[in-house]
Amino acid sequence: MRGTVMNHGNPKNKLRFRSRLFKEEGGPGIEQSQIDGEATPGKKLLGCGHPVGSVSLCMFQWVRHLQDGTKHYIKGAIEPEYVVTADDVGKLISVECIPMDDQGHMGEMVEAFANGHSKIKCDPEMRSEIDMHMSKGEASFSVLLLVPSSENQGPVTLPATLILRRSSFQIKINSTEYVVIEEKFTIRLSIKIPSGLPTELILTCSDGALHCFSTSDFRTLDALVLTMRMFQTQ
């Protein structure tokens, strides 16, 4: 849970912060805690601030604030940088930072909120892309599907296409056109982005079968996940 304090100037994206400094003179503290970066899916955020006193390192933890007011500490998100994912859309995101000195003494925690303390939204281009998919009632995405190896050498990845329709979806291997998955959307379908792996996705189908795949970049996966979840809830 270690990271260095980032000493930045005044970025364009000003973000609200709560700063409670360690009161002992010379003790570790952080002033002007803030988050730098564009708070939209696929983009990187950076928790930063000005160290005061005897700061030698900081402990970071990114937090997702749910609709009911509860806090969800994002597993593995303990670095100054964090990539916004589809799971963050519609929620508040913050980073908590605890400064420490080289003797292990902790200063008081400071917390900064992304997006001006407003909920995370898609950028206009992604929003338009998702709206187009919903209007057409279909979408397709290029993915790499993780499949078992026939030679007992561990799993391999194969280029595939994920096809979404209003009531169902399928994944088809590109080279053979073999359909690996084809089923209707149900509430039992789980669409999960693994912690710390923002270009990967795990689908748990209604029969309990797991299917893992990835995309070439953060943004593509986020658009895929948001589109798929919208079809699922229709």
Side-chain angles (χ1 to χ4, degrees):
M1 199 170 173
R2 292 188 175 187
T4 56
V5 176
M6 308 301 292
N7 189 347
H8 280 227
N10 296 320
K12 293 181 180 179
N13 295 327
K14 289 295 184 181
L15 301 156
R16 295 184 183 179
F17 63 88
R18 293 187 289 129
S19 183
R20 301 188 298 276
L21 299 181
F22 190 58
K23 294 182 179 179
E24 181 179 323
E25 185 176 354
I30 300 294
E31 291 180 339
Q32 299 181 17
S33 172
Q34 58 193 22
I35 298 175
D36 190 7
E38 182 181 342
T40 57
K43 298 297 179 67
K44 288 184 179 181
L45 301 178
L46 176 66
C48 53
H50 296 282
V52 296
S54 54
V55 177
S56 62
L57 61 88
C58 280
M59 298 186 293
F60 291 88
Q61 176 63 63
W62 291 85
V63 184
R64 187 177 293 131
H65 299 257
L66 306 183
Q67 299 280 10
D68 61 3
T70 59
K71 296 169 66 172
H72 171 70
Y73 290 95
I74 303 171
K75 184 178 179 181
I78 55 175
E79 299 295 334
E81 286 190 346
Y82 174 71
V83 177
V84 181
T85 75
D87 288 341
D88 300 318
V89 173
K91 304 176 182 68
L92 297 175
I93 294 295
S94 69
V95 63
E96 295 179 353
C97 176
I98 299 176
M100 295 182 65
D101 63 20
D102 56 9
Q103 301 298 313
H105 299 133
M106 295 183 182
E108 291 199 38
M109 184 269 287
V110 296
E111 183 176 21
F113 280 83
N115 201 32
H117 212 136
S118 297
K119 293 179 180 179
I120 303 299
K121 296 180 180 179
C122 297
D123 62 71
E125 184 180 351
M126 183 180 290
R127 181 72 266 169
S128 177
E129 179 183 337
I130 294 171
D131 288 345
M132 180 187 68
H133 294 325
M134 300 307 296
S135 176
K136 291 173 60 178
E138 62 180 17
S140 63
F141 296 88
S142 296
V143 299
L144 289 174
L145 181 67
L146 192 67
V147 297
S149 171
S150 59
E151 300 177 358
N152 296 320
Q153 295 180 349
V156 297
T157 55
L158 296 177
T161 301
L162 172 62
I163 301 170
L164 307 178
R165 299 187 179 90
R166 291 193 188 279
S167 60
S168 65
F169 68 96
Q170 69 172 212
I171 296 182
K172 181 169 59 176
I173 302 297
N174 292 348
S175 60
T176 62
E177 296 197 349
Y178 174 71
V179 176
V180 179
I181 315 167
E182 184 166 20
E183 70 170 68
K184 293 185 178 298
F185 284 114
T186 69
I187 59 173
R188 295 189 299 276
L189 174 68
S190 170
I191 306 167
K192 182 178 180 181
I193 302 173
S195 297
L197 300 171
T199 62
E200 297 188 14
L201 186 66
I202 299 175
L203 292 183
T204 305
C205 296
S206 56
D207 61 358
L210 295 177
H211 300 279
C212 305
F213 57 88
S214 62
T215 59
S216 59
D217 58 84
F218 306 142
R219 194 180 184 286
T220 299
L221 188 88
D222 290 322
L224 184 162
V225 169
L226 292 169
T227 302
M228 196 169 191
R229 286 174 176 168
M230 289 193 70
F231 277 126
Q232 183 185 25
T233 56
Q234 277 194 331

